[in-house]
Amino acid sequence: LGDQVLVEVAHLLQQTAREADHVGRYGGEEFLFVLPQTGSAGAVKLAERTRALVMSTPMHDARGNAFHVTVSLGVAEWCTGDDEDSLVSRADTALYAAKNAGRNRVEVAP
C-alpha cells in the first residue's frame, strides 16, 4: 500500500507542476520540485496548491476503503553562493521544520 500511495502522490505532484518544472522522487518518501525562474513566493503558491490537492484527494486500500494522506513541504530559493547540494539541503531543512511544526504545511528556508 505504501508503494501505491507514493505512485498516487507522484501523479498528484505532476498535476500541479507547470510545463517548465521538474518533479521527481528524491528519496524514500521525498520528492523534489525544481522550478526554473521561480522565486520563493511562486514556489510557496505551488507548494500550497500541491499540499491542498494531496490532502483533498482520497486514496484507497486493497478493500476500497478511502483514506487521506498529507504532505509537508520545504521551499528554498536559489541564493548567491548556493550550489545544488546547499540548495537541496536548505529545502530539506525547511521540510523537516514543516514536519516538526505539525506536518501538512509549507515552510520556507531562510
Side-chain angles (χ1 to χ4, degrees), residues 13-26:
L13 299 181
Q14 290 172 336
Q15 288 178 27
T16 62
R18 303 163 304 180
E19 192 171 312
D21 299 338
H22 304 280
V23 62
R25 190 168 172 193
Y26 185 71

Side-chain angles (χ1 to χ4, degrees), residues 14-80:
Q14 290 172 336
Q15 288 178 27
T16 62
R18 303 163 304 180
E19 192 171 312
D21 299 338
H22 304 280
V23 62
R25 190 168 172 193
Y26 185 71
E29 296 175 351
E30 294 183 352
F31 292 86
L32 182 68
F33 277 95
V34 176
L35 311 174
Q37 305 297 316
T38 305
S40 61
V44 167
K45 285 181 184 177
L46 185 132
E48 286 291 356
R49 215 172 36 245
T50 300
R51 186 193 60 73
L53 177 63
V54 171
M55 182 179 69
S56 67
T57 301
M59 307 282 167
H60 296 87
D61 65 18
R63 294 182 179 166
N65 299 313
F67 63 94
H68 290 270
V69 298
T70 61
V71 293
S72 300
L73 298 107
V75 173
E77 183 175 7
W78 187 277
C79 295
T80 302

